[in-house]
């Protein structure tokens, strides 16, 4: 079982590669989207894990190319910024599954195997609506370089309301 991981965060990639190697996967790692495409063409992996944001690029941009190149591969998109909109976009672009970081080994292995993936994910990766909202706010805040006023305008809410929401970080469950 060949696996290609396209992930720019070195420490996370190292941990993930060790876990997956321990479970029998022959792993390769690319830290850029371009290198990931080259490695995918060369090694033709049976499994692929793709980060949503690889450096300044979006993993979604190469997802259709990867699906065309690897029609039978199991492709999982990982993200630290989970949202329903990106999940739908990822599945439409060719991902088999979508997971939010951090991900536990049991869920990831189930997703890679395609066995009861939805059931395994439901145990650990479902976010409450409040948590999804908080994650989205964080993403918009980052895009606005920390500017609270610009973020509040973009989200269509009062600045003080946004500040109150930022103080309360909801749990994942």
């Amino acid at each position: 079982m060949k696996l290609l991981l396209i992930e720019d965060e070195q420490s996370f990639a190292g941990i993930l590669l060790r876990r997956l190697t321990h479970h029998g996967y022959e792993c390769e790692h690319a830290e850029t989207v371009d290198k990931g495409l080259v490695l995918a063409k060369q090694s033709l992996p049976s499994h692929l894990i793709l980060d949503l944001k690889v450096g300044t690029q979006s993993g979604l941009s190469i997802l259709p190319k990867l699906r065309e190149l690897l029609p039978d591969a199991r492709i999982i998109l990982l993200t630290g910024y989970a949202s329903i909109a990106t999940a739908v976009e990822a599945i439409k672009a060719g991902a088999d599954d979508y997971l939010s970081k951090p991900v536990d080994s049991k869920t990831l292995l189930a997703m890679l195997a395609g066995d009861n993936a939805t059931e395994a994910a439901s145990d650990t990766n479902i976010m409450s609506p409040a948590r999804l909202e908080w994650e989205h706010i964080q993403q918009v805040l980052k895009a606005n370089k920390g500017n609270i006023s610009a973020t509040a305008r973009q989200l269509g809410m009062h600045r003080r309301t946004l500040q109150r929401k930022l103080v309360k970080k909801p749990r994942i469950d």
Side-chain angles (χ1 to χ4, degrees):
M1 295 184 294
K2 285 185 182 179
L3 182 133
L4 173 60
L5 172 64
I6 303 174
E7 166 68 59
D8 61 333
E9 192 178 313
Q10 293 297 324
S11 59
F12 179 72
I15 291 167
L16 205 51
L17 292 170
R18 279 191 299 278
R19 279 189 207 170
L20 294 169
T21 301
H22 177 72
H23 287 281
Y25 288 92
E26 183 184 319
C27 299
E28 288 188 288
H29 174 233
E31 52 282 326
T32 66
V33 166
D34 297 330
K35 187 177 176 187
L37 266 176
V38 170
L39 278 175
K41 287 176 186 174
Q42 289 173 352
S43 65
L44 300 172
S46 59
H47 298 79
L48 197 134
I49 299 173
L50 175 64
D51 190 11
L52 178 65
K53 291 188 180 186
V54 184
T56 58
Q57 295 182 297
S58 169
L60 286 173
S61 66
I62 64 164
L63 201 45
K65 294 174 193 170
L66 289 168
R67 179 48 71 201
E68 185 179 320
L69 179 66
L70 308 164
D72 298 325
R74 187 104 181 114
I75 300 176
I76 297 172
L77 191 89
L78 280 180
T79 181
Y81 299 98
S83 74
I84 294 168
T86 54
V88 169
E89 191 176 348
I91 300 303
K92 283 183 178 178
D96 292 302
D97 282 301
Y98 178 92
L99 283 172
S100 60
K101 293 179 187 175
V103 63
D104 65 279
S105 295
K106 177 184 172 187
T107 302
L108 184 58
L109 291 168
M111 293 277 185
L112 287 169
D115 298 332
N116 299 322
T118 306
E119 187 178 302
S122 69
D123 292 342
T124 57
N125 284 335
I126 289 187
M127 287 190 202
S128 67
R131 177 63 185 219
L132 269 173
E133 179 188 43
W134 192 85
E135 293 287 345
H136 179 66
I137 288 170
Q138 291 300 314
Q139 192 171 10
V140 175
L141 185 62
K142 185 176 179 184
N144 286 306
K145 297 180 176 121
N147 186 320
I148 299 284
S149 297
T151 301
R153 276 192 302 276
Q154 189 173 347
L155 293 171
M157 67 175 68
H158 194 276
R159 190 175 57 80
R160 285 187 179 219
T161 302
L162 175 60
Q163 288 173 323
R164 278 193 300 274
K165 288 180 182 276
L166 288 170
V167 171
K168 300 176 188 174
K169 182 177 179 180
R171 297 181 348 192
I172 291 175
D173 57 344

